[in-house]
């Protein structure tokens, strides 16, 4: 309601083609397509939600002025159909970008161009190219297209991160015969993803909740690769330095053959989304994981937060545990050893830039990071869990290793990682009963009189001492030993659940 017009109704500002690494990391490569109807733009184009039908495969809304706007997606573009009401008027389609640059020009029977924009967190973003066409004649005026002879008109637009030729290829091959055909194809793709659940006896509201969440689970991550006319998949690398500047025709990014996964923050997903991928989409999980390992194979690291490149966000190299867990569940990883090595590098190599690897890794041998480090308890706990998962994966790889030298190395790595995974215990403060960082002289950051486990921040990422009171799902016996054994751990859980948050 806060964003409604003075009339009390919302207005359609336009349809957006965009890329997101997640709902809270902001967009990049945003192209705004704004349709209007009338002799002139007379103000906000309001609508009622009763006249709106929003689905993942098709969006439709009838504006209060009578214009029907419909859209359906493809893997690299969309179709937009505009049906004006009866009577005289001008149908206008305007292209725009938010805080960026836009280039548009005619190329034969179609229009092509590029755009560049994005949030400050869009690390590794590259220029986006596009190609568009209309199914009947229009007048072209800058970034505006005008139709005056009445009747529906369909705009098809295709995008590419490689160049205008690839965008034109997507336009010619990937946008179906009609918008309705495109919507049917998209609906079938979503139906296949949602069909993994059968909810016998569920109410309508329960089905809406479950399938809506399953839909959200399938929004991220994405593949950034594009298949060209020669049938070869390529991508504009978000993790390598650009080879040169982008021009009107081609990206300046390094173009690599293969498939890469992007748009994902592992800190938010390793506990929930990746086990769900393994359960419901094992083949897709293996493919997505290998797409991230491609970041390691070409750029040297897997992003902690792929946005789409190496964004310096959140703690932990949680692809380690996410992918080791896939291996533990016998998901057929395409590059099993490469997957392990990507995690081993996270665990043992100093980061080469801000958005990769583990911060303050040098402190792992000194009982954990000091308060001067960034969210030190969180980094320590995430590191311990990831070390444990990698140690177990090394042990599984050892079972299949026939080379004696390689087997000895895996055995040593497994032992080292598993022992190190218990290092979180050095941060347990018996005087407070909680975990906190130590100063360089070995004392804890706060004394018992001043420590408050309900206070947000300090040593913890988006959390407090209570949130990190149970940090070792990989070592419940070790955790119990710190807090008075099994009975002590149960009492601690009771206290946690009965403590009211301020």
């Amino acid at each position: 309601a806060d964003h409604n017009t003075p009339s009390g109704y919302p207005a359609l500002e336009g349809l957006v083609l965009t890329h997101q690494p997640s709902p809270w990391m902001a967009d990049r490569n945003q192209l705004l397509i704004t349709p209007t109807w009338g002799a002139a733009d007379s103000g906000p184009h309001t609508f009622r939600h009763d006249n709106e039908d929003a689905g993942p495969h098709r969006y439709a809304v009838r504006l209060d002025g009578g214009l029907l706007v419909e859209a359906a997606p493809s893997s690299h573009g969309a179709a937009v159909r505009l049906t004006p009401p009866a009577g005289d008027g001008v149908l206008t389609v305007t292209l725009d970008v938010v805080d960026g640059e836009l280039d548009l020009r005619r190329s034969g029977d179609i229009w092509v161009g590029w755009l560049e924009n994005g949030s400050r967190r869009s690390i590794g973003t590259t220029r986006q190219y596009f190609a568009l066409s209309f199914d009947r004649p229009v007048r072209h005026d800058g970034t505006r297209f005008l139709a005056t002879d009445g009747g529906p008109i369909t705009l098809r637009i295709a995008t590419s991160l490689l160049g205008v030729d690839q965008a034109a290829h997507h336009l010619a091959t990937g946008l179906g015969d009609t918008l309705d055909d495109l919507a049917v194809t998209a609906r079938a793709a979503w139906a296949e993803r949602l069909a993994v659940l059968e909810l016998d006896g569920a109410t309508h509201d329960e089905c809406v909740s479950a399938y809506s969440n399953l839909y959200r689970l399938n929004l991220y991550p994405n593949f950034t690769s594009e298949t060209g006319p020669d049938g070869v998949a390529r991508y504009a690398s978000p993790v390598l330095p650009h080879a040169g500047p982008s021009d009107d025709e081609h990206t300046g990014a390094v173009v690599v053959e293969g498939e890469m996964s992007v748009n994902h923050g592992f800190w938010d997903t390793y506990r929930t989304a990746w086990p769900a991928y393994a359960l419901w989409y094992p083949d897709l999980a293996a493919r997505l994981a290998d797409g991230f390992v491609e970041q390691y194979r070409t750029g040297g690291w897997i992003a902690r937060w792929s946005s789409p490149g190496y964004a310096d966000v959140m703690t932990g190299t949680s692809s380690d545990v996410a992918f080791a867990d896939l291996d533990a569940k016998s998901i057929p990883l395409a590059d099993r050893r490469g997957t392990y090595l990507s995690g081993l590098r996270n665990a043992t190599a100093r980061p080469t830039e801000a958005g990769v690897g583990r911060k303050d890794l040098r402190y792992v041998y000194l009982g954990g990071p000091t308060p001067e480090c960034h969210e030190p308890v969180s980094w320590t706990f995430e590191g311990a869990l990831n070390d444990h998962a990698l140690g177990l994966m090394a042990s599984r790889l050892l079972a299949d290793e026939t080379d004696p030298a390689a087997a000895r190395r895996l055995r040593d790595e497994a032992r080292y990682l598993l022992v190190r995974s218990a290092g979180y215990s050095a941060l347990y403060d018996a005087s407070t009963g909680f975990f906190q960082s130590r100063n360089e002289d070995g004392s804890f950051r706060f004394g018992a009189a001043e420590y408050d486990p309900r206070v947000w921040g300090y040593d913890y990422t988006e959390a407090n001492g209570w949130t990190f009171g149970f940090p070792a799902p990989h070592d419940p016996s070790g955790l119990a030993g710190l807090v008075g054994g099994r009975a002590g751990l149960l009492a601690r859980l009771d206290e946690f659940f009965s403590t009211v948050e301020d």
Side-chain angles (χ1 to χ4, degrees), residues 153-463:
I153 188 169
T154 298
L155 159 69
R156 288 180 173 81
I157 184 164
T159 65
S160 171
L161 297 175
L162 301 178
V164 292
D165 288 345
Q166 183 68 26
H169 172 67
H170 291 318
L171 181 66
T173 62
L175 286 166
D177 295 326
T178 68
L179 180 143
D180 299 313
D181 293 333
L182 206 61
V184 168
T185 300
R187 183 184 180 90
W190 276 110
E192 182 179 2
R193 289 290 181 94
L194 301 182
V196 297
L197 280 183
E198 294 183 8
L199 304 178
D200 293 339
T203 66
H204 174 75
D205 286 349
E206 289 169 339
C207 287
V208 168
S209 178
Y211 288 113
S212 295
N213 281 291
L214 195 57
Y215 158 75
R216 295 183 183 95
L217 176 71
N218 279 281
L219 289 177
Y220 312 97
N222 319 120
F223 296 110
T224 193
S225 307
E226 306 174 45
T227 301
D230 60 359
V232 177
R234 298 177 177 87
Y235 62 88
S237 177
V239 300
L240 290 173
H242 281 207
S246 298
D247 58 29
D248 290 345
E249 303 293 329
H250 304 98
T251 181
V254 176
V255 176
V256 183
E257 290 189 6
E259 186 173 68
M260 179 175 282
S261 303
V262 295
N263 297 336
H264 200 67
F266 289 95
W267 183 87
D268 284 276
T269 61
Y270 76 85
R271 307 168 184 84
T272 52
W274 283 97
Y277 299 147
L279 177 64
W280 289 321
Y281 312 107
D283 292 338
L284 177 62
R287 185 181 162 203
L288 286 169
D290 195 61
F292 283 112
V293 177
E294 177 72 2
Q295 294 186 1
Y296 162 74
R297 286 190 291 258
T298 59
W301 304 87
I302 293 177
R304 297 199 310 272
W305 197 296
S306 175
S307 181
Y310 296 140
D312 186 15
V313 182
M314 306 314 294
T315 57
T317 53
S318 300
S319 58
D320 304 345
V321 64
F323 299 163
D325 183 60
L326 295 181
D327 184 69
K329 293 170 178 172
S330 299
I331 301 300
L333 299 174
D335 182 6
R336 194 180 178 207
R337 181 158 183 80
T339 303
Y340 167 71
L341 290 176
S342 72
L344 185 66
R345 186 174 195 202
N346 286 332
T348 58
R350 295 279 292 276
T352 55
E353 56 185 280
V356 301
R358 302 187 192 179
K359 291 185 185 295
D360 307 310
L361 187 61
R362 64 190 181 278
Y363 289 96
V364 75
Y365 308 105
L366 304 175
T370 67
E372 289 73 28
C373 301
H374 177 69
E375 299 168 340
V377 171
S378 296
W379 274 102
T380 299
F381 290 169
E382 300 287 356
L385 177 61
N386 286 299
D387 284 347
H388 184 79
L390 288 169
L392 293 180
M393 187 173 183
S395 297
R396 290 191 298 273
L397 289 169
L398 175 61
D400 298 329
E401 184 57 66
T402 57
D403 178 72
R408 183 168 58 254
R409 182 183 179 93
L410 282 169
R411 188 178 298 108
D412 291 343
E413 290 167 352
R415 185 181 300 112
Y416 168 71
L417 290 164
L418 291 173
V419 169
R420 206 176 75 172
S421 71
Y424 73 92
S425 60
L427 300 187
Y428 180 68
D429 177 10
S431 68
T432 63
F434 290 90
F435 294 86
Q436 56 172 322
S437 61
R438 291 181 182 268
N439 298 307
E440 290 189 3
D441 64 4
S443 63
F444 286 102
R445 179 172 194 165
F446 297 108
E450 56 183 332
Y451 179 80
D452 186 344
R454 299 168 298 177
V455 174
W456 196 268
Y458 290 107
D459 289 343
Y460 315 109
T461 304
E462 296 186 1

